[in-house]
Every structure is written in structure tokens, then in C-alpha cells.
Amino acid sequence: MNTGGFRATSLALASLVLTVTAGCAQMPSQSGSGDTSAGSGSSAGSCNPVVGGALGALAGAMFGKGKGHLAGAAIGAGIGAFACIAYNYHVRKVRDAKAVEQEYARQRGALPASNTVADYRSELTPSNTVRSGTSAQMQSRVTVISGTHDATPQLKEELTLYSPEGKVLSTVSKPATAVDGTGEYETNFNFNLPKGIEEGRYTMRSTLFMDGKQVRTNEVPMLVVS
């Protein structure tokens, strides 16, 4: 029996299945609903976590033999479930340019020549404890100062979910198109955790990019309970 050929074929099939599983999270929503708040952007996915978990389990099972099939299936099922997380992203201005510039100039003496992020804070709401199968949101406050010699800053946020073991489970990035210059902004990544996922202390990392460069990072613990 050509075991090498079988494992190579299994690996190829597993890769294909995991690609399909992850891809399901990128399918646009067909519901036709959208966010109506001023200056917001949103993205939703259409994915069945049960199907995703089953496909992931099938892919994981292909990587081993005997008991390895069971371990691989369990790992694959977890990957498939997290691939089904859909994120909705929204941005709104909460303080205008005049208030922010006055505060910055009072503290620093003058406005900056280059685009500057004066503050970036993130928190999980409504709390850091989230029940699997329910919704939560990563909410951030961003204070931006447009440089006196720069064009309007271009911001992008990235959200990454880490397992209790520190492995990347899901990541998504969105341009903060509602940021139109100096001001304080509230950003929100809304998401639903798959039902039945492993309990434990996960980590949510929010990363802010400005004009193509990473400028700030926040890490927030998330305790998942059943």
C-alpha cells in the first residue's frame, strides 16, 4: 500500500476543505440589512458553524491515523467553528476637531506637524466574560490629530482572536473610512462566538494602523464560559 501517496492526497484534500471552511466566513450576507449610523462601515459573513466544524473535523482527521484521527478531528472542528465568526465594524465621531485640538495644544503646547494618534483604548463590552453562542463587541476610542503638514490620516483597525494556548483563531481588518480628520472616534467590532467552543481565557488584540503603519496595539482578556 502506498501510504506516502495516501497521506499526500489526504493533505491536499484537508487543505482544500479548510480553505472552503475559512472561505465561508467571507461570503457576503444576503439579508440586505446594513448599519444606518452616520459614517459607519459594516461587514457580515454568512456561515454555518455546524457545517464549518464538520468540514474542519473531516480535514483534521485526514492528518493522522488511529487515535490521531480523533485528535485531528477535534482540532479541525475548532478551526472550522472559529472560521464562521462574522464581524460587523462601525465607526462614529464622539468629539469634534476643535475640542480635541484645544486639549492637545493645552497639553503639548502646539499641534503636531505629522498625523498623530494621541490616544487608543479598547475594551470588551458588555463585559470581559462572554458566554459561547452569544454576541459581544470590542469597543475602542481613538483620538486623532491631523498634522499641520500632512493630508487627512487614513486609519485601519485589525482584530485578532487568540486561543487560551496563544494560537491565532480568527483575524479581520477594516478601514476606518468614517475618520475624516482630527477628532475622537468610537469604533466597534461586533461578533458572535460559536456555541460549544472550549471554555477558557482567550485574548482579543486590537491593532491600529495609520497611513499604512502600525501605531498602537491593545490586548484585552476574554473569559469564555458555557
Side-chain angles (χ1 to χ4, degrees):
M1 180 177 178
N2 186 358
T3 57
F6 174 77
R7 290 182 64 81
T9 302
S10 297
L11 180 61
L13 288 172
S15 299
L16 175 61
V17 172
L18 284 176
T19 299
V20 172
T21 303
C24 75
Q26 306 304 319
M27 294 174 63
S29 173
Q30 303 298 316
S31 65
S33 61
D35 183 77
T36 58
S37 60
S40 68
S42 65
S43 173
S46 176
C47 186
N48 186 326
V50 175
V51 174
L55 289 172
L58 174 61
M62 292 179 179
F63 284 102
K65 291 183 177 182
K67 293 182 179 179
H69 275 67
L70 299 178
I75 295 170
I79 293 173
F82 283 106
C84 284
I85 296 180
Y87 296 91
N88 293 299
Y89 185 64
H90 313 283
V91 181
R92 69 183 183 94
K93 182 179 282 189
V94 294
R95 269 205 305 165
D96 63 19
K98 183 178 180 180
V100 170
E101 287 178 348
Q102 287 179 343
E103 180 181 66
Y104 188 92
R106 186 171 61 253
Q107 294 175 348
R108 311 293 177 88
L111 296 177
S114 302
N115 293 332
T116 300
V117 174
D119 190 31
Y120 182 54
R121 293 166 288 156
S122 302
E123 64 176 350
L124 271 171
T125 62
S127 84
N128 288 62
T129 300
V130 184
R131 192 174 300 278
S132 65
T134 65
S135 61
Q137 67 177 353
M138 186 74 152
Q139 186 177 91
S140 299
R141 285 294 181 103
V142 186
T143 303
V144 182
I145 310 293
S146 294
T148 56
H149 302 308
D150 281 353
T152 301
Q154 303 296 308
L155 268 63
K156 180 180 74 172
E157 265 194 296
E158 181 178 89
L159 186 66
T160 305
L161 171 62
Y162 292 88
S163 72
E165 296 76 30
K167 297 181 179 179
V168 174
L169 297 172
S170 177
T171 186
V172 63
S173 62
K174 297 293 180 183
T177 54
V179 174
D180 58 0
T182 298
E184 183 177 349
Y185 299 85
E186 179 185 275
T187 70
N188 289 278
F189 275 104
N190 298 283
F191 58 95
N192 288 303
L193 284 179
K195 190 173 181 59
I197 61 174
E198 177 189 4
E199 294 184 350
R201 188 172 295 277
Y202 294 69
T203 300
M204 303 292 296
R205 175 183 292 172
S206 62
T207 304
L208 185 68
F209 296 82
M210 183 173 67
D211 299 329
K213 297 180 180 179
Q214 179 178 326
V215 289
R216 296 288 185 95
T217 298
N218 295 318
E219 288 193 356
V220 178
M222 180 176 68
L223 180 63
V224 175
V225 298
S226 60

